[in-house]
Amino acid sequence: MSTVSESIFMRSLQRLPVERTPVWLMRQAGRYLPEYRETRVKAGSFMSLCKNKAFACEVTLQPLQRFDLDAAILFSDILTIPDAMGLGLSFVEGEGPRFAKQLTDIHQLEALIMPNVDVDLSYVMDAVRLIRQEMPSHLPLIGFAGSPWTLACYMIEGGSSREFKRALNWMYLHPEAMQLFLHQLALTVSEYLAQQIAAGANAVMLFDTWGGLLTTHHYQRFSLAPMAMIVNQLKRLAPHVPVILYTKGGGQWLPTIAQTGCDAIGLDWTCDISRARAQVGHQVALQGNLDPAVLLTSEACIRQEVKRVLTTFGSGPGLIFNLGHGITPDVPPEHVKILVDAVHEQSAIK
Ligand code: CP3
């Protein structure tokens, strides 16, 4: 049996040759799986699912039992950090996350106390240790966190939004205070990911879901700079652990993202992966970038679109197949099997 470091996922992150393209999917554990919905009912709420290591482990492993996936991702959420800061996180059915504590004034940011990762987020490390122990030993486990900018968006807005107008308003009106806050979040996220690595995560990913809302100038300063700081810290502490950066809507900034020293860039479905490769392919691996809407179509269409991503990327190493964003709850699980198998079949004959 091979080891994690010999796995096609870890090798692809280093741009080493592989016999077939590795695949895992953002939100591979989630509501589209009936067994996930069952465990969630047992847990009572989304946060109790995250905070109970046995439940978190169970749902992490569910997609691996159904599909031939090449990596597991820790079951948790990016909003564990604001939850640990006492903002009172809950998930309202059909509405997404909501914080009980509203931030109405920029000065409230200064008063927020960063969590003590060792204590307040120890449940996440307990889950990582248990998952690492229970999952197949040759498969990699991905740890993750939200980018400082994306965390700030949710915290300032008090929950989900499409535009995050209050976060943007505070950024424009109080850039120094925002920058300081993002810096503090970056320190916390670095510590959080370092601890996930110490607990057994083999690679880590930063989800910058809302970086794409920003102008190029503001992206560099408020989203990318704090992420670059995290990459730096992690490369000092754990130089061999790959770091993946994903900015949804970040397709026009790939060369500067690659300059952070990350190992791979996650691409959303709007990017042309051959162009992305031409821009940054010698520096980093690429992860993506099938449109999640394809999973709602048909077997023939899924196979055709998988082929399109593989051929657009072209031959040679450095591709990790994924969606351009997470699986939605309305996806039939059979379609996920078609996708995963198609990636393996079609890339093996490439
Ligand atoms: O399988 C995996 O990918 C691992 C688990 C994971 C979850 N959230 C579980 C989850 C990961 C990696 C995340 C990341 C996350 N969380 C992001 C970044 C990626 C992205 O989707 O852009 C963001 C923005 C969040 C914040 C968040 N958590 C939102 C906006 C929501 C509600 C939206 C929704 O789908 O309902 C969540 C809840 C959440 N996180 C669910 C899951 C499976 C659904 C909650 C439920 O079971 O009711």
Side-chain angles (χ1 to χ4, degrees):
M1 191 49 91
S2 57
T3 62
V4 166
S5 54
E6 290 160 355
S7 66
I8 56 177
F9 174 78
M10 297 300 279
R11 291 180 61 83
S12 294
L13 281 169
Q14 298 167 75
R15 278 99 58 216
L16 294 171
V18 284
E19 59 278 15
R20 55 181 196 177
T21 302
V23 52
W24 71 277
L25 304 170
M26 292 195 261
R27 289 277 171 98
Q28 62 191 27
R31 281 165 301 177
Y32 77 104
L33 288 176
E35 57 271 34
Y36 168 86
R37 296 196 298 268
E38 235 172 75
T39 311
R40 192 189 185 291
V41 169
K42 268 196 275 169
S45 72
F46 178 73
M47 283 315 284
S48 359
L49 186 56
C50 294
K51 288 182 180 175
N52 177 312
K53 65 178 175 184
F55 285 144
C57 179
E58 186 178 313
V59 295
T60 300
L61 301 184
Q62 284 168 352
L64 304 187
Q65 281 141 13
R66 269 190 190 245
F67 315 116
D68 188 16
L69 292 159
D70 296 300
I73 180 161
L74 159 70
F75 189 85
S76 190
D77 199 80
I78 64 164
L79 301 178
T80 50
I81 288 180
D83 179 62
M85 291 167 74
L87 292 192
L89 175 64
S90 60
F91 285 84
V92 189
E93 201 59 55
E95 261 185 59
R98 191 186 291 162
F99 292 112
K101 185 169 172 177
Q102 290 289 317
L103 303 178
T104 49
D105 185 302
I106 183 85
H107 299 295
Q108 286 175 286
L109 284 188
E110 295 158 24
L112 285 175
I113 296 167
M114 291 294 146
N116 181 345
V117 176
D118 280 335
V119 178
D120 307 323
L121 292 159
S122 59
Y123 68 90
V124 178
M125 306 335 139
D126 291 340
V128 172
R129 275 186 288 270
L130 182 63
I131 296 162
R132 198 47 284 179
Q133 194 182 310
E134 297 293 317
M135 70 184 273
S137 62
H138 66 284
L139 282 184
L141 174 63
I142 304 165
F144 73 91
S147 73
W149 166 252
T150 294
L151 294 179
C153 278
Y154 284 106
M155 292 170 80
I156 294 169
E157 217 66 34
S160 275
S161 161
R162 259 184 308 171
E163 294 170 306
F164 291 96
K165 281 189 178 158
R166 199 207 302 254
L168 291 169
N169 189 271
W170 287 12
M171 174 192 78
Y172 281 116
L173 291 176
H174 310 284
E176 303 299 331
M178 273 297 268
Q179 194 171 2
L180 184 63
F181 182 58
L182 291 163
H183 179 80
Q184 285 169 330
L185 281 175
L187 292 173
T188 299
V189 170
S190 302
E191 173 68 21
Y192 183 50
L193 290 176
Q195 289 202 19
Q196 289 183 31
I197 292 167
N202 306 104
V204 293
M205 174 156 166
L206 274 177
F207 287 93
D208 184 31
T209 307
W210 300 109
L213 294 175
L214 296 168
T215 71
T216 296
H217 169 82
H218 295 86
Y219 176 72
Q220 303 288 336
R221 178 169 174 193
F222 295 95
S223 174
L224 191 61
M227 288 201 286
M229 187 185 129
I230 295 164
V231 174
N232 245 301
Q233 295 273 72
L234 293 175
K235 289 295 164 191
R236 271 195 316 116
L237 296 167
H240 303 299
V241 175
V243 182
I244 308 167
L245 298 187
Y246 165 78
T247 292
K248 184 161 163 273
Q252 56 175 325
W253 303 314
L254 302 180
T256 50
I257 298 174
Q259 278 167 20
T260 58
C262 66
D263 299 272
I265 301 181
L267 301 177
D268 71 31
W269 65 97
T270 66
C271 300
D272 182 287
I273 199 166
S274 76
R275 184 166 164 266
R277 195 179 182 191
Q279 287 182 324
V280 297
H282 59 286
Q283 278 172 289
V284 292
L286 296 174
Q287 177 175 277
N289 75 336
L290 188 80
D291 184 348
V294 170
L295 279 174
L296 295 170
T297 61
S298 65
E299 171 158 12
C301 186
I302 294 167
R303 293 182 65 87
Q304 174 192 309
E305 295 306 317
V306 163
K307 187 164 199 157
R308 194 190 309 281
V309 172
L310 290 172
T311 52
T312 308
F313 179 83
S315 58
L319 173 64
I320 294 136
F321 200 101
N322 206 313
L323 301 176
H325 197 208
I327 304 183
T328 52
D330 48 358
V331 163
E334 313 80 77
H335 285 185
V336 174
K337 179 166 169 46
I338 292 167
L339 179 147
V340 171
D341 293 345
V343 173
H344 286 155
E345 274 166 41
Q346 295 179 13
S347 62
I349 54 171
K350 224 170 32 160

